[in-house]
Amino acid sequence: MSFDFTRHDFPDGFLFGTATAAYQIEGSSHGNCGPSHWDTWSAVAGNVANADNGAVACDSYHRWEEDLDLIKAGGFDAYRFSTSWARTMPDGVTVNQEGLDYYDRLVDGIVARGLKPNLTLYHWDLPAALADTGGWMNRDTALRFVEHTQAVIDRIGDRVEMVATINEPFCVAWLGHFVGVHAPGLRDIRGAARALHHILLAHGLSMQAMRELGQDNLGIVLNLTHVMPATNSAADAAATQRADAINNRWFLDGVLKGAYPEDMLSALAPHMPAGFEADMGTVSAPLDWLGINYYTRTLGADDPGAPWPALRDVSGPLPKTDMGWEIFPDGLEILLKRVNREYTQGRIPLIVTENGMANDDTLRGGACNDAARVNYIRDHLNAVRRTINAGVPVRGYFAWSLLDNYEWAFGYDKRFGIVHVDYDTLARTPKASFDAFRSALARNT
């Protein structure tokens, strides 16, 4: 299996990378790491498949050198990783030098292999001690995040190539506080409204702190979706606008325009923090780049009689991944062009910071032929090529994920990796998709 392109089909300097997240691979029981709200939430029956947790995960805390060797062997240019806030500040306040030492070693190892370190400061592992005081519903959590930012940048900022503040604020705020399928598992409109604002405030305050420290090449990572109406009805057309506001425009408008969309704000206004308007200049701090995570499209369908946002899930007719998500590569092209047209207008480079699929991967004869993933990545990278050819400044693509890992509420049941992990032995085995990257990215192609 192979891709139908090489790195030379992309502009000079285009970054090819792969990505992971701390809680999903490191193992939270090592290195004096404190408990996060994912540790406490996963301890309750029914929250996570098989009652799985991230205590060991892929044990990358000890196997980081092996994992970095894989990235180097794959021909990638960059590694996108995250720092665990619960590791750097186990009680949410006190800096854990042992945790910072780990990231120091990790970044040195990335650089030593000729790779570019791409840091994400927060990928969902809120210290449980801060969850005790309200977590993202509490404005003070945004202030505490500045302290985490400063501790990390003081230690490793001199060697990282790019820094993202927050990964996927939609998942943190909406899925965690309104839908209730991510930690902290709340279903509360007031809590969601506060989290939606405070997580973006934390982003803006973190940006300010890093600018003051002299750090550059700063951005945020948003998970966006292309929203389409489920039917031709006027009701579904209106539902599509509500879904777009929740999934896309709240974050794009807030970060890039300094104002939340009126159609969503009108529903959340009674629940928003008092005086939030005064924070919008901070929320919209200038970006050096914008990261976009894309996996699938969303079909907007009205749920008449239900409370706001009166939306219902619709399963479309397209082929699906093991997550049940439709495979729609054209959506990535549409989305990138839309963001450039309506928001960034060529002034801010775009980076596809996550793209990939869950597949029912098994080893046979010591190999994993994940042909569906090879096709998925090929088709999405070709969508990126078309977008670039249309004049949109897309500067990189990061495959999610390097390793099969802890997939949040799905535990270890869903495999996104281009490298297979045996969860009994923790042995790593590159899949066909890894080999396809290695061939396409070979320097002498």
Side-chain angles (χ1 to χ4, degrees):
M1 298 292 296
S2 62
F3 298 139
D4 57 356
F5 55 80
T6 72
R7 68 165 54 249
H8 298 293
D9 292 308
F10 290 80
D12 290 345
F14 186 90
L15 280 180
F16 286 95
T18 187
T20 64
Y23 190 80
Q24 293 180 269
I25 68 164
E26 287 178 1
S28 63
S29 57
H30 309 306
N32 198 29
C33 185
S36 79
H37 66 174
W38 271 97
D39 291 301
T40 56
W41 195 63
S42 64
V44 177
N47 284 347
V48 176
N50 310 311
D52 290 336
N53 59 51
V56 176
C58 304
D59 195 26
S60 197
Y61 183 85
H62 296 109
R63 294 170 175 258
W64 61 269
E65 292 183 280
E66 177 184 359
D67 294 339
L68 295 185
D69 287 342
L70 284 167
I71 300 169
K72 177 68 173 177
F76 294 99
D77 307 309
Y79 178 36
R80 179 174 174 246
F81 68 100
S82 77
T83 46
S84 165
W85 192 356
R87 186 180 301 285
T88 64
M89 306 180 83
D91 62 0
V93 178
T94 308
V95 174
N96 172 27
Q97 294 300 328
E98 188 174 353
L100 291 178
D101 289 346
Y102 166 70
Y103 294 116
D104 211 15
R105 296 190 299 271
L106 179 68
V107 172
D108 277 350
I110 296 170
V111 173
R113 288 162 176 79
L115 302 168
K116 298 180 186 298
N118 187 322
L119 165 66
T120 299
L121 287 164
Y122 182 72
H123 199 131
W124 308 356
D125 36 20
L126 180 76
L130 296 182
D132 290 345
T133 60
W136 290 113
M137 295 182 291
N138 184 348
R139 182 185 180 89
D140 284 347
T141 299
L143 306 180
R144 301 288 78 75
F145 184 64
V146 173
E147 297 167 356
H148 164 66
T149 296
Q150 292 168 330
V152 171
I153 296 302
D154 279 343
R155 177 61 77 90
I156 64 174
D158 59 325
R159 282 154 288 157
V160 297
E161 183 79 12
M162 308 171 68
V163 185
T165 53
I166 309 286
N167 181 79
E168 299 188 344
F170 165 83
C171 294
V172 177
W174 190 255
L175 296 186
H177 296 78
F178 190 89
V179 183
V181 294
H182 279 201
L186 301 180
R187 295 173 60 85
D188 182 276
I189 193 170
R190 189 174 179 83
R194 280 157 164 68
L196 281 163
H197 180 64
H198 292 150
I199 190 75
L200 292 184
L201 176 61
H203 152 73
L205 292 171
S206 177
M207 293 283 285
Q208 290 179 352
M210 286 190 284
R211 298 288 188 203
E212 291 171 1
L213 291 170
Q215 197 72 27
D216 59 8
N217 213 4
L218 310 180
I220 187 172
V221 172
L222 305 179
N223 57 309
L224 305 177
T225 180
H226 176 54
V227 185
M228 304 171 67
T231 71
N232 293 326
S233 72
D236 282 355
T240 297
Q241 290 302 305
R242 296 194 298 275
D244 184 58
I246 293 166
N247 285 272
N248 300 324
R249 286 187 283 114
W250 182 270
F251 308 99
L252 289 167
D253 285 15
V255 169
L256 295 167
K257 294 184 176 181
Y260 296 132
E262 284 297 328
D263 54 348
M264 185 169 170
L265 189 57
S266 62
L268 292 182
H271 313 291
M272 292 292 289
F276 76 89
E277 298 90 345
D279 296 327
M280 297 311 295
T282 299
V283 168
S284 57
L287 302 177
D288 298 318
W289 55 273
L290 175 64
I292 295 175
N293 295 352
Y294 174 82
Y295 290 94
T296 187
R297 69 174 180 175
T298 296
L299 297 179
D302 186 47
D303 189 5
W308 182 89
L311 298 171
R312 59 186 174 87
D313 292 332
V314 173
S315 179
L318 301 178
K320 297 175 177 64
T321 72
D322 203 38
M323 292 287 286
W325 298 345
E326 286 189 295
I327 300 174
F328 188 58
D330 288 350
L332 178 56
E333 179 181 0
I334 296 167
L335 190 61
L336 291 168
K337 289 179 176 178
R338 175 195 177 185
V339 171
N340 184 68
R341 180 179 65 252
E342 298 182 11
Y343 292 93
T344 57
Q345 299 173 332
R347 298 188 301 267
I348 301 173
L350 307 179
I351 299 175
V352 180
T353 34
E354 287 182 28
N355 178 243
M357 67 171 288
N359 194 50
D360 185 15
D361 297 327
T362 57
L363 290 181
R364 292 183 175 85
C368 180
N369 182 13
D370 57 339
R373 183 175 291 106
V374 173
N375 293 336
Y376 180 101
I377 294 171
R378 177 201 65 205
D379 293 344
H380 283 80
L381 268 166
N382 280 328
V384 172
R385 288 175 63 193
R386 294 193 300 270
T387 305
I388 293 171
N389 291 337
V392 179
V394 185
R395 301 290 190 242
Y397 174 97
F398 287 75
W400 184 270
S401 174
L402 173 66
L403 304 171
D404 293 335
N405 55 42
Y406 179 81
E407 188 47 44
W408 307 111
F410 294 93
Y412 296 98
D413 284 351
K414 306 298 181 184
R415 294 181 177 269
F416 275 85
I418 58 174
V419 174
H420 182 276
V421 176
D422 182 319
Y423 293 121
D424 293 324
T425 67
L426 298 176
R428 277 82 158 134
T429 304
K431 303 176 186 179
S433 54
F434 179 94
D435 293 332
F437 268 117
R438 179 162 45 191
S439 176
L441 300 182
R443 295 290 175 179
N444 60 354
T445 304

